[in-house]
Amino acid sequence: MSHGAPFPFRQFIVKMNGRCNLACTYCYLYTGPDRTWRHRPATAPDAVLDRTADRIAEHARAHALPDVSLVLHGGEPLLAGAGTLAGFTALVRDRVPPGTRVHATVQTNATLLTEPCLDVLARAGIRVGISLDGGLPGHNARRVDHAGRPSWPVASRGARLVADRFPAAYAGILTVVDPTLDPVETYDSLLALRPPALDLLLPHGNWSAPPPHLAGERHGAWLCAVFDRWWRAGRRQTRVRLFEECIALLLGLPAATESLGLAPFDAVVVETDGTIEQVDSLKSCYEGAAETGLDVFRHPFDEALRHPAVTARQEGAAALADTCRACPLLRVCGGGHYAHRYRAGHGFRQPSVYCADLQRFIRHVAGRLTEGTAPAPSPVEGLRPPAFLP
């Protein structure tokens, strides 16, 4: 299955600052194989931000986009200052066509969040997404500063400040799955921080550099345990994007996530020096994996759409391994996260390194959906093809 013409970018991830005030021990961006960040300016200069705003507006106009997502990223983007983030967001909103809405979010480690900072962000219509490993000090033991001191005391203070004083600006929490932590305890501790949404991400790894604790479908089992806690709560205590989109895909509904499904990928990155890149997760594979050779000064985003690596991410099933195309879970799994398919010397045309975990999770969710319904024979271990499979 190919999607034909290039699908326009709708998510623009702009590196406001390319450094971080933390030194998380597992960070693939600063401790992984890609070192290109060392040769870029720490903070995006005004000229880069000005030209990026022009390019976003140009793309929105060319493709008549009703909505664009502007993600202010890093490093730690708040090192650039809340005023800079607000000013750039205003610039983008001023330049896009009148019919285009700009949904702005800053993704932060929460350590620099203060009431004056949050006031600036809220007034600028910038929502705050927070990265944490859980809601307890022990969950965040690997999130330390450059002197090795724990970030949890100040990060948790920032998270609670958003929840207490600026709930309308609270986008949610992003957490990377750690199968060594108790799944229900981790989920419940995050709920205590009152996020309106929760993103659960599998740790970046691939066939040549496998993630830790991969054996035994431990990541899949962790997700299943959290899903059951979320599913059986009796009410939606928070949105969990991975769960909601898995359900949507099982029901044959459209869903867009980098980890599941066959929807064409629609995100692009602008680095602090103005270079146009693919998403950071590719930097966990090898040096230069995210590069396109393009920049905002000389190239429109449409040229990035025509880049072979971007085209491959928009080809749907046609870009997947034979085993993926033959799998009954294809339309739900979609081959998993692109970066997780990499194998040195063979590229990205393999199943995800998390294939077994994803199968366990998807089948588990499908099983929960079928509970309480009339039994029907199925050739796929508890899935009912008319409802949940193409």
Side-chain angles (χ1 to χ4, degrees):
M1 177 192 304
S2 174
H3 295 283
F7 192 79
F9 295 120
R10 297 172 188 268
Q11 183 178 170
F12 299 89
I13 302 167
V14 181
K15 297 294 190 74
M16 303 300 296
N17 191 284
R19 304 294 187 269
C20 191
N21 60 330
L22 297 187
C24 302
T25 59
Y26 55 81
C27 182
Y28 70 90
L29 188 58
Y30 297 111
T31 64
D34 192 288
R35 293 287 188 268
T36 52
W37 63 271
R38 295 178 181 272
H39 311 297
R40 294 190 169 114
T43 300
D46 290 344
V48 167
L49 298 179
D50 183 77
R51 193 60 172 150
T52 299
D54 283 344
R55 291 300 191 191
I56 293 172
E58 175 185 57
H59 200 72
R61 189 174 299 108
H63 298 279
L65 299 179
D67 298 271
V68 298
S69 172
L70 179 64
V71 182
L72 309 171
H73 216 280
E76 171 47 56
L78 287 175
L79 288 172
T84 299
L85 273 57
F88 173 61
T89 301
L91 206 60
V92 175
R93 288 190 172 129
D94 183 58
R95 295 183 185 178
V96 296
T100 301
R101 294 177 296 271
V102 177
H103 306 276
T105 306
V106 58
Q107 190 65 35
T108 174
N109 60 35
T111 61
L112 301 178
L113 292 175
T114 62
E115 190 153 349
C117 166
L118 284 164
D119 187 62
V120 170
L121 297 174
R123 289 176 183 273
I126 300 171
R127 301 185 73 212
V128 179
I130 295 172
S131 299
L132 290 172
D133 290 347
L136 295 174
H139 297 158
N140 294 274
R142 296 181 296 169
R143 297 181 67 83
V144 296
D145 66 14
H146 289 273
R149 296 169 298 200
S151 66
W152 173 251
V154 65
S156 59
R157 186 163 60 246
R160 292 189 178 97
L161 183 61
V162 179
D164 291 343
R165 300 296 305 275
F166 298 88
Y170 197 179
I173 295 176
L174 181 153
T175 294
V176 176
V177 172
D178 183 347
T180 68
L181 299 178
D182 181 273
V184 174
E185 178 190 68
T186 303
Y187 175 74
D188 285 344
S189 69
L190 289 166
L191 277 186
L193 297 173
R194 306 197 301 281
L198 184 60
D199 268 319
L200 298 175
L201 305 182
L202 292 170
H204 290 315
N206 55 68
W207 292 105
S208 295
H213 316 298
L214 185 62
E217 303 170 13
R218 293 181 68 182
H219 296 82
W222 196 97
L223 288 172
C224 291
V226 177
F227 180 85
D228 284 348
R229 166 69 178 84
W230 176 80
W231 181 252
R232 292 168 173 159
R235 61 184 179 89
R236 189 170 73 177
Q237 295 169 296
T238 187
R239 297 189 61 189
V240 182
R241 185 172 64 154
L242 181 67
F243 298 167
E244 293 183 354
E245 297 194 348
C246 184
I247 291 169
L249 289 162
L250 284 164
L251 295 174
L253 301 173
T257 173
E258 195 175 3
S259 300
L260 294 175
L262 290 168
F265 190 61
D266 65 355
V268 67
V269 174
V270 178
E271 287 284 354
T272 57
D273 60 356
T275 55
I276 298 171
E277 293 204 338
Q278 298 181 79
V279 290
D280 280 349
S281 56
L282 289 177
K283 295 178 180 179
S284 66
C285 299
Y286 60 90
E287 172 95 16
E291 291 179 359
T292 65
L294 308 174
D295 65 74
V296 294
F297 295 103
R298 298 176 298 160
H299 309 99
F301 286 119
D302 270 12
E303 286 202 37
L305 285 179
R306 293 190 288 270
H307 190 278
V310 175
T311 300
R313 301 195 69 180
Q314 295 200 346
E315 285 185 338
L320 298 180
D322 291 344
T323 50
C324 291
R325 293 202 301 273
C327 179
L329 302 182
L330 169 65
R331 292 179 184 270
V332 181
C333 174
H337 195 295
Y338 189 74
H340 301 165
R341 306 173 202 165
Y342 176 72
R343 187 190 295 273
H346 299 273
F348 295 88
R349 209 178 181 95
Q350 287 77 226
S352 168
V353 73
Y354 289 108
C355 179
D357 297 271
L358 290 171
Q359 289 202 43
R360 178 168 182 170
F361 169 65
I362 293 167
R363 292 177 188 279
H364 183 84
V365 174
R368 292 288 177 258
L369 285 174
T370 59
E371 285 178 353
T373 62
S378 169
V380 188
E381 296 179 24
L383 298 187
R384 298 172 60 198
F388 304 129
L389 291 176

